[in-house]
Amino acid sequence: MASIIETAASITFQQVIMMIIGGILMYLGIKKNYEPTLLVPMGLVAILVNFPMTGVLTQTINGQKTEGVLDILFNAGITTELFPLLIFIGIGAMIDFGPLLSNPFMLLFGAAAQFGIFFVVIVALFFGFNIQEAASIGVIGAADGPTSIFVSSQLAPNLLGPIAIAAYSYMALVPIIQPAAIKLVTTKKERRIRMTYKAESVSKKTRILFPIIITLIAGIVAPVSLPLVGFLMFGNLLRECGVLDRLSNTAQNELVNIVSILLGLTISVKLTATEFLNVQTLMIIAFGLVAFIMDSIGGVLFAKLLNLFRKEKVNPMIGAAGISAFPMSSRVIQQMAQAEDKQNFVLMYAVGANVSGQIGSVIAGGLLLGFFS
Amino acid sequence: MSHALAQGFELMGFELMGFGMGGVFAVLFLIYLVCIALNKLFPGKTDKK
């Protein structure tokens, strides 16, 4: 009884707040179905790590230093950047580059929608973060959890916790954030623009050569991005080569599932009250939201700019699909297009832009790392 | 942080923005050209009626 009272009394008010945040994360994952694969483990670990004297984290218990299991996993998978890279194999195996290869023009939106990253770098610098920290915060706007972890673990490991939380939370909130951002910069008439889809089949040779050539280009142009690009394209090659279906299925299912469990557990190691509850974290979360919104706006404005010169107008909402949150963003764009006009089908274009956003965010992450190397 | 240092950081921020956005556009444009070349060299099968 005495030990129960002692444990309860040693929990601080800040730790209780973190446990409530953990509860909210689990609620969003379970009840709202927002990225449950990550938010549910993250939520529970937010509770775990805020109990004192448990040995979950490296702690001194009864005068003896005990290495925590979550710290062991963190050092093995996040510090070494192993988990985000393994996840990329699975993502690569899941992505069908077909819609992009049949409409390569969509690649430009994958570039334009990275604007928020660099916009927030300036904002974060203005608020006193150093350049490496600012770059890591900006990457939240890539809407790409593994890339955010990969970049911030190299440039600002001290900010890894809040950056990972913000990146995954905003990815989960795409259906709420993007429509608001898009409506801010488009008119109803623009959102009703129809695009006729020319379904052109893509040859098997093209599908196989594409990931190989992208790897070569990344290796030459942005070598620091090669771990990210290489693993992503390796996963895609497994999918497209036609002789490794068993490995492709494993990458898409078992590998992604196992690494997602480990990733969800380990990124939450930084959700302790002392590391998380401070003004800096709140600023990072706010800047992440700005980056995300500016990415969407950047993509939309670029599409509107192109429309000034094009005969066949592009629905500007397609530009916002150039972020990396795949496939959620393209679904949101299609839903918005149909909400304005039931006969408007922009999904395949949106998927093309969304897939190019995946490449764009990885390249942007690599370029940020390259800038400092 | 001194004013000069802050100004230096912001300049670096704009430099990073130019490098990053320019780099992303350049790389993706290169990939765009690659896609076009691949589609020309190895066109997909068209449905025969």
Side-chain angles (χ1 to χ4, degrees):
Chain A
M1 188 66 189
S3 73
I4 294 172
I5 295 168
E6 193 189 338
T7 305
S10 64
I11 299 171
T12 64
F13 175 69
Q14 286 86 348
Q15 285 170 326
V16 173
I17 299 271
M18 286 310 298
M19 290 179 190
I20 292 170
I21 291 174
I24 294 170
L25 291 176
M26 283 190 285
Y27 171 80
L28 290 173
I30 297 167
K31 187 78 180 170
K32 299 280 180 186
N33 208 22
Y34 292 160
E35 292 279 336
T37 35
L38 284 157
L39 291 192
V40 173
M42 278 164 70
L44 191 71
V45 175
I47 295 173
L48 274 179
V49 297
N50 281 291
F51 272 104
M53 296 178 290
T54 56
V56 169
L57 296 179
T58 303
Q59 290 164 338
T60 305
I61 304 169
N62 299 329
Q64 213 170 14
K65 193 179 174 188
T66 316
E67 198 167 6
V69 62
L70 288 180
D71 277 321
I72 294 170
L73 282 174
F74 186 88
N75 292 333
I78 304 288
T79 312
T80 59
E81 294 144 15
L82 188 65
F83 293 164
L85 290 175
L86 289 176
I87 279 273
F88 259 59
I89 297 178
I91 295 172
M94 285 185 213
I95 290 181
D96 175 9
F97 283 117
L100 176 66
L101 286 163
S102 55
N103 288 291
F105 183 64
M106 292 296 120
L107 272 160
L108 298 181
F109 297 116
Q114 309 305 322
F115 172 71
I117 297 177
F118 303 100
F119 176 83
V120 161
V121 170
I122 311 268
V123 175
L125 281 172
F126 184 76
F127 278 88
F129 287 93
N130 69 38
I131 186 88
Q132 280 93 344
E133 289 172 342
S136 304
I137 295 166
V139 168
I140 298 171
D144 182 345
T147 302
S148 301
I149 293 171
F150 189 81
V151 172
S152 61
S153 63
Q154 288 193 37
L155 296 183
N158 55 317
L159 302 182
L160 182 58
I163 286 173
I165 302 294
Y168 279 108
S169 306
Y170 292 140
M171 271 168 68
L173 296 176
V174 165
I176 296 166
I177 299 169
Q178 275 213 312
I182 291 168
K183 282 183 179 170
L184 206 65
V185 286
T186 54
T187 62
K188 199 174 175 64
K189 193 182 164 194
E190 285 171 331
R191 294 195 294 273
R192 289 170 72 98
I193 292 176
R194 289 188 182 183
M195 296 172 75
T196 38
Y197 183 66
K198 294 165 204 148
E200 287 172 25
S201 69
V202 178
S203 70
K204 191 172 165 63
K205 274 183 192 159
T206 300
R207 285 177 180 272
I208 294 172
L209 286 172
F210 183 73
I212 298 169
I213 294 175
I214 301 299
T215 308
L216 292 173
I217 291 175
I220 294 163
V221 180
V224 193
S225 71
L226 208 52
L228 287 169
V229 179
F231 276 58
L232 184 74
M233 293 303 153
F234 169 64
N236 192 250
L237 189 60
L238 290 181
R239 175 197 177 97
E240 300 296 354
C241 71
V243 291
L244 293 171
D245 287 348
R246 210 159 44 90
L247 298 192
S248 172
N249 285 334
T250 303
Q252 290 181 46
N253 298 293
E254 288 84 355
L255 180 68
V256 163
N257 290 342
I258 291 169
V259 183
S260 292
I261 291 173
L262 295 171
L263 198 64
L265 289 174
T266 44
I267 53 177
S268 315
V269 166
K270 299 289 178 187
L271 281 178
T272 56
T274 43
E275 283 189 73
F276 197 81
L277 281 184
N278 53 56
V279 180
Q280 196 184 47
T281 301
L282 295 176
M283 282 166 78
I284 290 168
I285 288 174
F287 292 158
L289 181 61
V290 174
F292 213 90
I293 291 170
M294 291 310 292
D295 268 349
S296 304
I297 289 178
V300 171
L301 293 182
F302 182 70
K304 287 172 81 159
L305 178 73
L306 288 179
N307 277 348
L308 296 176
F309 309 100
R310 279 174 67 96
K311 262 188 187 171
E312 270 185 57
K313 303 293 179 203
V314 175
N315 187 319
M317 292 195 295
I318 297 292
I323 64 164
S324 170
F326 179 82
M328 212 185 297
S329 182
S330 41
R331 273 192 221 137
V332 167
I333 303 303
Q334 173 58 27
Q335 281 165 4
M336 284 185 74
Q338 278 199 309
E340 301 289 351
D341 172 3
K342 284 208 165 87
Q343 297 301 312
N344 200 359
F345 297 99
V346 296
L347 184 65
M348 291 315 279
Y349 285 106
V351 169
N354 211 177
V355 168
S356 77
Q358 186 73 54
I359 301 174
S361 69
V362 172
I363 298 287
L367 287 167
L368 282 175
L369 292 173
F371 186 79
F372 296 105
S373 64
Chain B
M1 195 188 300
S2 76
H3 183 66
L5 191 61
Q7 240 178 2
F9 267 139
E10 276 161 34
L11 271 179
M12 205 185 225
F14 283 110
E15 192 188 333
L16 180 56
M17 186 186 237
F19 173 79
M21 282 310 286
V24 175
F25 264 107
V27 175
L28 292 198
F29 185 70
L30 194 59
I31 298 173
Y32 166 72
L33 296 177
V34 166
C35 289
I36 290 175
L38 283 174
N39 283 331
K40 289 259 184 237
L41 287 170
F42 311 108
K45 283 175 192 163
T46 46
D47 293 335
K48 286 175 189 170
K49 286 183 182 175

